[in-house]
């Protein structure tokens, strides 16, 4: 037995205060519910690489839960004109996205032949159906009502998604902040239907140009703009890495959920969440 694996030898090594009796106390495993977490990888096929496939997607969903937690808080802080906490939360979102991207690198170690051993066992289950990913899109302002139909099977989940769909997104909060800071924003933008995809507006473009041309005066708004660009940049890298991993493993086959697979993933790379923040870079 390793000399650090029992109470007697731990004490002998000088660590006299380390607890070893947990009959009446909560352990690390209890706190993290590891009994549930580590038994939630029940595959359908028994194939060795299905465990990899399941864990990568489960870990991504955990990271997405944290992204939503941070985005929701960042939006609240921006609405309250308390930008410093929002900056930290948005920076954290970008770091989380980098972790998800690295997850695709691990999944890419699975070859096409290995995936085909269990792909049919997935049925119509697909990452396209990830409701947390949809909620991230909603929080960033990309609203597509037709995807809500996917979740009608679960009325409680469908209602949760509908509420997220109807809430103003991160960019709406940023534009409202521009208006509160004295910029002349088109009233139609400020009062827009937030269940529709945001369309670029000249007044918003002019406001961001003014921010970038006088950084010293508008330092916090400048920081906010750059945090938004970071989030979108990392999300596009996440999408790109997803697309290339899918292409590497299944080529241009149709997705298990019925999407066009790689072709669909390529199309979403052209979506912009904060369009003016990208277009003004040519003019600054």
């Amino acid at each position: 037995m390793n000399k650090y694996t029992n109470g007697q030898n731990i004490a002998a090594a000088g660590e006299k205060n380390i607890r070893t009796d947990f009959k009446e106390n909560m352990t690390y495993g209890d706190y993290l519910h590891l009994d549930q977490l580590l038994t939630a990888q029940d595959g359908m096929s028994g194939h060795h690489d299905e465990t990899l496939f399941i864990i990568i997607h489960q870990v991504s969903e955990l990271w997405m839960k944290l992204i939503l937690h941070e985005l929701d808080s960042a939006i609240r802080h921006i609405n309250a004109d308390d930008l410093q906490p929002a900056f930290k939360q948005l920076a954290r979102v970008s770091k989380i996205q980098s972790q998800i991207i690295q997850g695709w690198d691990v999944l890419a170690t699975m070859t096409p032949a290995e995936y085909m051993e269990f792909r049919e066992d997935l049925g119509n289950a697909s990452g396209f159906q990830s409701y947390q990913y949809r909620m991230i899109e909603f929080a960033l302002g990309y609203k597509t009502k037709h995807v809500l139909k996917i979740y009608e099977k679960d009325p409680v989940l469908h209602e949760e998604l509908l509420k997220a769909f109807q809430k103003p997104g991160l960019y709406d909060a940023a534009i409202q902040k521009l208006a509160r800071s004295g910029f002349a924003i088109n009233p139609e933008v400020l009062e827009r239907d937030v269940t529709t995809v945001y369309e670029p507006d000249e007044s918003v473009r002019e406001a961001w140009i003014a921010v970038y041309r006088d950084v010293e005066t508008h330092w916090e708004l400048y920081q906010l703009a750059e945090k938004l660009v970071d989030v979108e940049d990392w999300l596009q890298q996440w999408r790109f890495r997803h697309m290339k991993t899918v292409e590497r493993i299944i080529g241009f086959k149709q997705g298990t959920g019925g999407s066009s697979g790689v072709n669909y993933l390529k199309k979403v790379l052209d979506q912009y969440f904060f369009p003016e923040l990208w277009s003004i870079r040519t003019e600054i």
Side-chain angles (χ1 to χ4, degrees):
M1 178 180 289
N2 184 292
K3 67 177 180 178
Y4 296 109
T5 58
N6 63 46
Q8 181 179 359
N9 289 326
I10 288 171
E15 297 290 345
K16 296 179 180 180
N17 294 322
I18 290 180
R19 293 181 178 275
T20 57
D21 183 1
F22 286 92
K23 292 177 181 177
E24 304 296 332
N25 295 292
M26 179 177 67
T27 67
Y28 171 83
D30 296 333
Y31 176 69
L32 295 179
H33 299 285
L34 292 183
D35 55 339
Q36 299 172 44
L37 188 65
L38 298 180
T39 56
Q41 291 77 43
D42 295 330
M44 304 294 292
S45 69
H47 189 273
H48 174 81
D49 282 353
E50 192 176 4
T51 299
L52 163 67
F53 187 82
I54 292 170
I55 288 175
I56 289 296
H57 287 85
Q58 288 180 336
V59 169
S60 293
E61 291 292 334
L62 286 172
W63 280 130
M64 283 190 273
K65 181 174 183 177
L66 185 54
I67 286 174
L68 288 166
H69 177 68
E70 300 297 337
L71 287 176
D72 185 59
S73 184
I75 290 170
R76 290 199 308 272
H77 281 292
I78 294 168
N79 288 336
D81 294 324
D82 187 15
L83 296 189
Q84 292 302 318
F87 296 158
K88 178 170 184 178
Q89 289 151 356
L90 294 175
R92 184 175 290 163
V93 168
S94 295
K95 290 296 184 182
I96 295 166
Q97 290 170 313
S98 73
Q99 293 296 307
I100 298 177
I101 291 168
Q102 291 182 38
W104 291 122
D105 294 338
V106 179
L107 186 61
T109 63
M110 183 171 62
T111 67
E114 289 164 343
Y115 182 48
M116 293 311 295
E117 289 288 330
F118 64 87
R119 187 176 190 243
E120 288 189 3
D121 293 293
L122 302 180
N124 295 126
S126 166
F128 184 83
Q129 298 146 16
S130 169
Y131 68 86
Q132 290 198 122
Y133 181 76
R134 296 303 170 193
M135 292 177 76
I136 290 171
E137 286 190 326
F138 294 167
L140 296 180
Y142 186 71
K143 307 292 182 73
T144 48
K145 191 171 186 177
H146 68 275
V147 301
L148 292 173
K149 187 171 181 60
I150 297 170
Y151 312 100
E152 289 178 349
K153 174 182 177 180
D154 184 338
V156 175
L157 175 58
H158 184 266
E159 181 63 25
E160 184 180 351
L161 279 155
L162 187 59
K163 288 179 181 177
F165 181 80
Q166 294 170 339
K167 288 172 61 176
L170 178 62
Y171 201 41
D172 292 305
I175 292 171
Q176 293 285 346
K177 175 59 181 172
L178 285 173
R180 291 195 303 274
S181 300
F183 290 97
I185 303 298
N186 181 353
E188 291 183 4
V189 174
L190 299 176
E191 299 166 7
R192 78 182 193 89
D193 178 359
V194 297
T195 66
T196 61
V197 176
Y198 175 80
E199 295 292 338
D201 181 84
E202 181 65 17
S203 68
V204 175
R205 188 183 71 85
E206 289 294 334
W208 286 126
I209 287 176
V211 167
Y212 274 83
R213 286 181 176 167
D214 189 356
V215 171
E216 187 175 344
T217 300
H218 306 297
W219 177 245
E220 281 202 325
L221 290 172
Y222 170 72
Q223 287 182 288
L224 175 59
E226 284 298 291
K227 288 292 185 288
L228 295 180
V229 170
D230 285 343
V231 168
E232 179 154 2
D233 190 354
W234 278 106
L235 189 124
Q236 291 295 64
Q237 292 184 56
W238 170 9
R239 285 173 160 179
F240 179 80
R241 197 69 193 92
H242 182 191
M243 181 270 293
K244 294 305 293 183
T245 303
V246 171
E247 183 178 2
R248 175 174 176 154
I249 296 175
I250 68 168
F252 286 80
K253 294 184 178 73
Q254 186 181 60
T256 49
S259 75
S260 57
V262 168
N263 286 326
Y264 168 78
L265 296 173
K266 284 185 174 181
K267 282 192 297 184
V268 300
L269 288 173
D270 292 328
Q271 294 170 356
Y272 282 91
F273 296 104
F274 319 129
E276 292 90 356
L277 290 176
W278 294 93
S279 65
I280 64 171
R281 280 164 153 70
T282 308
E283 303 175 50
I284 296 169

